[in-house]
């Protein structure tokens, strides 16, 4: 599969951004950000001071670091498992490719797996408005989100386990892609609040298109052609070779 190159970095980062568009993350993101910052729910068009925006961004960064800790740990586990099962690399490729195809079909809406259509929100008694509280909420919500963002997250974990790629690095990049929209919302919460429905409508289509690309990627993994795709991308977009 691909190593941690420009292609792998871009794919992992975009995977995180696509996960943000999932139905259990995007609609609730402004509420999360407001709670983390210890502020009332955002009102469209309401003015916020520079200090309020800065404080919201800093606390949201701690929240992002919280869920990143969990995801990077999952990536480390996937890499370790892949290294232990290296002798069955061919079989792992078939299994991993099948899972990626399955996850892609779920994202497209072609099949439904109830466990991936929900999130589990831990009942964590942590007050908003503090760095420690934001970090702990990030840890807790990482586990709550995992079922719903599972298609993209699971695909990256499958790549890590079957390709020998550095799972910790991939999941750190994935977390950055998922966290960046949170920081943008923290900075522009009130301005974005009124546009969330339109963003969500466009996001659903992008989510489905990404599912189709994942199906193709899974087929490439099963047939051993994924490297050709990576080389084609590098030839078509040479700038990818300069990343990483």
């Amino acid at each position: 599969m691909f190593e941690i190159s420009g292609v792998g970095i871009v794919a992992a980062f975009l995977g995180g951004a696509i996960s943000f568009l999932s139905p259990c993350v995007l609609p609730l993101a402004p509420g999360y950000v407001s709670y983390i910052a210890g502020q009332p729910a955002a009102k469209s068009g309401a003015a916020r001071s520079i200090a309020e925006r800065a404080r919201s961004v800093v606390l949201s960064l701690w929240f992002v670091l919280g869920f990143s800790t969990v995801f990077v740990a999952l990536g480390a586990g996937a890499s370790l498992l892949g290294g232990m099962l290296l002798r069955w690399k061919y079989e792992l490729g078939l299994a991993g490719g099948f899972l990626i195809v399955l996850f892609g079909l779920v994202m497209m809406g072609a099949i439904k797996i109830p466990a991936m259509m929900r999130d589990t929100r831990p009942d964590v008694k942590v007050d908003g408005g503090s760095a420690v509280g934001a970090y702990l909420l990030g840890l807790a919500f990482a586990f709550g989100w995992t079922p719903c963002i599972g298609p993209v997250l699971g695909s990256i974990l499958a790549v890590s386990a079957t390709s020998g790629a550095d799972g910790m690095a991939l999941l750190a990049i994935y977390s950055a892609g998922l966290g960046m929209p949170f920081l943008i919302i923290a900075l522009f919460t009130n301005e974005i609040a009124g546009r969330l429905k339109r963003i969500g409508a466009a996001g659903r289509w992008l989510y489905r298109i990404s599912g189709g690309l994942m199906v193709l990627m899974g087929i490439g993994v099963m047939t051993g052609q994924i490297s050709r795709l990576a080389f084609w991308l590098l030839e078509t977009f040479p700038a990818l070779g300069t990343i990483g």
Side-chain angles (χ1 to χ4, degrees):
M1 232 173 259
F2 52 79
E3 300 294 332
I4 304 297
S5 61
V7 175
I9 290 171
V10 171
F13 186 86
L14 290 179
I18 293 298
S19 290
F20 180 82
L21 298 174
S22 63
C24 57
V25 177
L26 177 61
L28 303 177
Y32 288 153
V33 169
S34 296
Y35 180 78
I36 291 162
Q39 299 171 348
K43 293 182 179 179
S44 179
R48 296 168 71 211
S49 68
I50 294 177
E52 287 177 328
R53 293 176 190 268
R55 182 171 182 273
S56 182
V57 169
V58 170
L59 290 174
S60 294
L61 180 59
W62 279 102
F63 177 73
V64 170
L65 289 174
F67 66 67
S68 298
T69 300
V70 175
F71 295 151
V72 170
L74 289 175
S79 291
L80 178 62
L81 179 63
M84 293 171 60
L85 301 177
L86 195 59
R87 70 180 70 180
W88 294 291
K89 187 173 181 179
Y90 174 75
E91 290 79 4
L92 279 176
L94 291 177
F98 173 78
L99 285 176
I100 294 172
V101 170
L102 179 65
F103 292 148
L105 292 173
V106 170
M107 291 175 65
M108 292 172 64
I111 61 176
K112 295 186 182 299
I113 300 178
M116 290 186 175
M117 300 297 145
R118 60 179 177 79
D119 62 333
T120 56
R121 302 174 201 174
D123 185 17
V124 181
K125 304 296 183 182
V126 178
D127 293 330
S130 72
V132 173
Y135 182 78
L136 292 176
L137 282 171
L139 292 174
F141 279 103
F143 294 104
W145 278 336
T146 297
C148 193
I149 64 175
V152 180
L153 179 62
S155 296
I156 296 178
L157 290 173
V159 167
S160 302
T162 60
S163 70
D166 187 337
M168 292 181 68
L170 278 178
L171 268 295
I173 296 165
Y174 168 85
S175 297
L178 177 59
M180 186 64 68
F182 276 99
L183 301 182
I184 293 173
I185 286 181
L187 189 59
F188 302 107
T189 306
N190 296 4
E191 292 84 351
I192 291 174
R195 300 179 174 87
L196 204 58
K197 288 186 178 180
R198 280 179 287 175
I199 296 173
R204 282 191 292 273
W205 281 106
L206 182 58
Y207 195 70
R208 290 171 182 170
I209 292 170
S210 300
L213 293 175
M214 281 176 54
V215 170
L216 295 177
M217 176 180 165
I219 294 172
V221 171
M222 287 191 290
T223 58
Q225 300 300 310
I226 195 66
S227 294
R228 289 191 179 184
L229 173 61
F231 289 135
W232 177 82
L233 287 171
L234 287 171
E235 290 177 356
T236 306
F237 306 101
L240 292 176
T242 65
I243 303 175

